Amino acid sequence: CGSRTRTVFGEGSSRPRLVVVGEAPGAEEDRTGRPFVGRAGELLTRMLQAIGLGREDVFICNVLKCRPPGNRSPRPDEVAGCRPFLQEQLEVLDPPLLLAVGSHAVRLLLHTERGITSLRGRFQTSPDGWRVMPTYHPAYLLRNPAAKREAWEDLQKVATELELAIPPRR
Ligand code: URA
């Protein structure tokens, strides 16, 4: 946390239908103190809207609560240091479903080293008892738009699970 501007704790509903767990704050999140407000965040917001969820319906947070210097990947000691905060958040929020976006969230929540490609798109039960849908991180989707089709399939499964009516596309 030595180089952060703000702690990015997370935000959203206190009784969420879904908790989104990302990787770590980026530059814009560090500046504003809010999760997923940069380019990846805009895409995440649109992905949620596509299945009829507003940001206020869910809770959005990250594995790390502070931006790693220079946006590098979270280190194992940093993940271990922040882990109790995420655990406590999940216990308090007690959501029916988690959307783990990207490999860091998937690894931490599912206690696995398996890659996102083999895990995404299927509901998993974490060792802590959470129901988890692993999917691609929106930053990855920005770099690899061809993967959006698979992410959309994953989101449709979330919509079915939560009995959400998918709004017509505009
Ligand atoms: N913004 C976040 O808050 N988390 C990420 O994982 C990426 C961007």
Side-chain angles (χ1 to χ4, degrees):
C1 60
S3 60
R4 67 144 187 253
T5 310
R6 288 175 191 251
T7 306
V8 184
F9 176 75
E11 68 177 21
S13 167
S14 56
R15 296 195 56 78
R17 316 206 41 197
L18 181 74
V19 170
V20 180
V21 182
E23 180 177 318
E28 197 56 20
E29 290 80 15
D30 180 63
R31 195 179 66 75
T32 57
R34 298 181 56 209
F36 278 100
V37 290
R39 276 188 71 223
E42 284 168 20
L43 178 56
L44 175 67
T45 304
R46 289 203 303 275
M47 288 162 68
L48 293 170
Q49 280 168 349
I51 54 166
L53 290 172
R55 286 177 67 110
E56 66 285 356
D57 300 317
V58 305
F59 192 89
I60 303 176
C61 59
N62 285 300
V63 169
L64 295 193
K65 308 305 183 200
C66 299
R67 182 191 189 211
N71 260 17
R72 63 160 167 69
S73 275
R75 289 194 322 230
D77 59 326
E78 294 165 342
V79 173
C82 277
R83 182 184 197 136
F85 298 117
L86 180 62
Q87 263 167 357
E88 189 79 18
Q89 285 179 309
L90 295 179
E91 275 164 36
V92 170
L93 296 166
D94 195 22
L97 185 62
L98 310 182
L99 184 68
V101 298
S103 58
H104 286 277
V106 170
R107 269 188 231 148
L108 179 65
L109 291 168
L110 297 181
H111 303 203
T112 182
E113 291 301 317
R114 277 177 65 192
I116 184 98
T117 318
S118 70
L119 287 167
R120 61 144 281 276
R122 268 173 301 190
F123 289 106
Q124 313 279 336
T125 302
S126 81
D128 301 327
W130 300 110
R131 196 157 166 74
V132 181
M133 171 57 82
T135 194
Y136 292 127
H137 194 286
Y140 173 81
L141 297 175
L142 288 172
R143 294 192 304 272
N144 300 277
K148 282 184 183 173
R149 177 188 291 272
E150 288 166 306
W152 174 233
E153 287 167 9
D154 304 347
L155 286 171
Q156 284 175 297
K157 290 179 191 166
V158 168
T160 304
E161 175 85 359
L162 296 178
E163 298 180 6
L164 301 169
I166 294 185
R169 296 189 96 169
R170 276 183 283 155

